[in-house]
Amino acid sequence: MKNIGKKVTCALGLAAALAAPQARADLGDDLIAAGGNIVIRFEGSDAGYNSLISVNGSPEVFPNHSTPVGTEFDLGFFAAGTPLDVVLHVLNTAQFFHSGSGALNSDGQPHAFVNVVGDRTFVSFEDLVGGGDRDYNDHMFSFTNIAVGAIPEPSVMALMLGGLGVLGFVARRRRSQH
């Protein structure tokens, strides 16, 4: 019976590790609400073009040439697991670039670099079609309460729930034997 308990514990640990958002920072990472109010803070801009930011259809904020660094805006409450679509609106070219893989961008390329430092998630955009100069400093901001990585696949969640069911079964069986 002890061997089954160890196997169940290992399976649960593996499922939890697979289901947890990846703690990596890279070009094209997905942004997911960790639960609670999300606060966005303007971190700067080194762009020649004028641009604004929106999140999941929110009003556009942070004009990149007139917003003081450190300005914050509370986006409100987001349930844990809510995917976030951060959009850079480049006013001079009328282009819109989305965070994530690049599938929603006109050129099919990722335009947002994501980096996690402590409790803040930093996002910096490239504002030119085709990747531009790839400096990712054209519009920079950071968030609180954001997870980085992929949304867990349904099969991973099913594995985790199945493992929890087995753990409950084993615990109940142990109680009935004592």
Side-chain angles (χ1 to χ4, degrees):
M1 198 58 145
K2 287 182 181 180
N3 197 18
I4 291 174
K6 287 181 183 178
K7 288 180 182 178
V8 169
T9 302
C10 288
L12 283 173
L14 177 60
L18 290 172
Q22 299 299 311
R24 62 183 170 79
D26 206 353
L27 181 62
D29 276 348
D30 291 317
L31 301 170
I32 303 148
N37 277 33
I38 295 177
V39 176
I40 183 171
R41 179 174 67 200
F42 184 69
E43 301 291 349
S45 173
D46 194 27
Y49 291 145
N50 297 317
S51 57
L52 300 162
I53 295 295
S54 66
V55 179
N56 287 16
S58 72
E60 294 180 323
V61 296
F62 300 153
N64 63 324
H65 290 125
S66 61
T67 303
V69 171
T71 300
E72 292 187 343
F73 182 76
D74 189 334
L75 295 168
F77 180 84
F78 287 77
T82 302
L84 300 178
D85 179 24
V86 181
V87 179
L88 175 72
H89 178 192
V90 184
L91 301 173
N92 305 69
T93 62
Q95 288 288 326
F96 292 88
F97 297 110
H98 299 259
S99 57
S101 69
L104 297 175
N105 295 331
S106 62
D107 59 5
Q109 295 183 19
H111 279 259
F113 186 83
V114 178
N115 189 19
V116 179
V117 178
D119 65 345
R120 296 201 76 81
T121 301
F122 291 82
V123 179
S124 52
F125 268 94
E126 173 54 52
D127 65 359
L128 297 173
V129 173
D133 56 11
R134 291 180 168 75
D135 57 8
Y136 303 97
N137 66 354
D138 297 320
H139 207 127
M140 301 173 289
F141 46 93
S142 65
F143 293 102
T144 59
N145 291 327
I146 299 289
V148 176
I151 298 170
E153 294 291 326
S155 60
V156 173
M157 293 304 291
L159 175 65
M160 190 166 90
L161 290 174
L164 288 172
V166 170
L167 185 61
F169 174 78
V170 170
R172 183 172 181 216
R173 188 170 176 147
R174 280 187 182 170
R175 268 194 311 248
S176 68
Q177 290 178 349
H178 291 305

